[in-house]
Amino acid sequence: MSQFFQIHPENPQKRLITQAVEILREGGVIVYPTDCAYALGCCLENKKAVDRIRQIRRLDDKHNFTLVCGDLSVISTYAKVDNSVYRLLKAHTPGAYTFILNATSEVPRRLLHPKRRTIGIRVPDNPIVAALLAELGEPIMSTSLIMPDETVPLTDPYDIRDTLQHHVDLVIDGGFCGMEATSVINLTGDEPEIAREGAGNINSFI
């Protein structure tokens, strides 16, 4: 049975944030709000937790996982970025975007696209996520909470609890945070490529 925390969307309670991060560090899988929709997350190095997320979503090895980061200070650890790409990232973070970048060797192979060695990077504009990441001190391995055979994320924390209470360790109720996925921008080529149009405005990438 999963735990259920109601965390204030603008002023997250420190005590609950600390408990949520303890669950992550102990190998847990959590559901948490972002600036677009709810997401599934776990610690980057925990293979069992990653496998649990794959089972929940029924993901194959071609799925591009996303590293959710608090800011761009850790970007160079996990992704290869030149000055022009960094300026582009800085201009659009935090925000409703996932950027596909070439991964460094710091990213576990199991999280990469098997042929392209790419990884998604995301910096959400959400106080709960910011608090979780500040307490954790590293990115959260993440994917949108879209159930198998569905096309949009789950949006109601109580529905999420009912659906996943035997499959995740914690559901964070941060209120309604939208139901549109991020815009996905591929920055691995010479020019930005729109891989998916979502909540983030894509005009500056066209």
Side-chain angles (χ1 to χ4, degrees), residues 89-127:
L89 293 173
K90 190 172 183 180
H92 293 87
T93 55
Y97 301 94
T98 299
F99 297 98
I100 305 300
L101 300 165
N102 290 311
T104 67
S105 58
E106 291 295 317
V107 181
R109 183 179 294 273
R110 65 181 177 275
L111 302 182
L112 302 175
H113 189 286
K115 294 182 179 177
R116 295 193 290 270
R117 289 195 59 81
T118 55
I119 192 71
I121 298 287
R122 171 145 156 64
V123 184
D125 186 11
N126 179 284

Side-chain angles (χ1 to χ4, degrees), residues 12 53 70 106 168:
I53 290 176
E106 291 295 317
V168 301

Side-chain angles (χ1 to χ4, degrees), residues 107-171:
V107 181
R109 183 179 294 273
R110 65 181 177 275
L111 302 182
L112 302 175
H113 189 286
K115 294 182 179 177
R116 295 193 290 270
R117 289 195 59 81
T118 55
I119 192 71
I121 298 287
R122 171 145 156 64
V123 184
D125 186 11
N126 179 284
I128 294 175
V129 180
L132 288 171
L133 291 165
E135 181 73 18
L136 183 62
E138 63 182 58
I140 294 174
M141 201 296 301
S142 190
T143 186
S144 299
L145 182 50
I146 302 173
M147 297 303 290
D149 304 320
E150 299 293 332
T151 57
V152 295
L154 293 176
T155 59
D156 184 280
Y158 293 93
D159 289 343
I160 293 169
R161 180 177 62 176
D162 290 345
T163 302
L164 293 176
Q165 61 182 332
H166 299 296
H167 302 281
V168 301
D169 301 284
L170 169 65
V171 175

Side-chain angles (χ1 to χ4, degrees), residues 20 38 42 45-46 74-75 81 93-94 105 114 125 133 164 169 172-173:
Y38 279 86
C42 68
E45 298 294 340
N46 195 298
V74 298
I75 273 289
V81 295
T93 55
S105 58
D125 186 11
L133 291 165
L164 293 176
D169 301 284
I172 294 177
D173 175 4

Side-chain angles (χ1 to χ4, degrees), residues 9-99:
E10 296 178 4
N11 299 294
Q13 302 95 314
K14 172 69 173 173
R15 173 181 58 86
L16 295 179
I17 292 295
T18 299
Q19 290 179 33
V21 168
E22 287 175 357
I23 290 170
L24 282 171
R25 287 181 174 145
E26 290 170 0
V29 173
I30 71 169
V31 174
Y32 67 101
T34 74
D35 51 353
C36 290
Y38 279 86
L40 288 159
C42 68
C43 281
L44 176 62
E45 298 294 340
N46 195 298
K47 183 180 184 302
K48 288 184 178 179
V50 173
D51 288 342
R52 286 171 61 194
I53 290 176
R54 286 190 188 277
Q55 290 170 1
I56 292 168
R57 290 270 328 260
R58 295 184 200 162
L59 299 172
D60 61 24
D61 63 358
K62 296 180 177 61
H63 180 78
N64 239 50
F65 280 102
T66 296
L67 297 184
V68 172
C69 306
D71 55 41
L72 295 181
S73 63
V74 298
I75 273 289
S76 61
T77 302
Y78 302 102
K80 300 173 184 177
V81 295
D82 58 24
N83 289 337
S84 61
V85 168
Y86 184 83
R87 285 194 296 270
L88 202 57
L89 293 173
K90 190 172 183 180
H92 293 87
T93 55
Y97 301 94
T98 299
F99 297 98

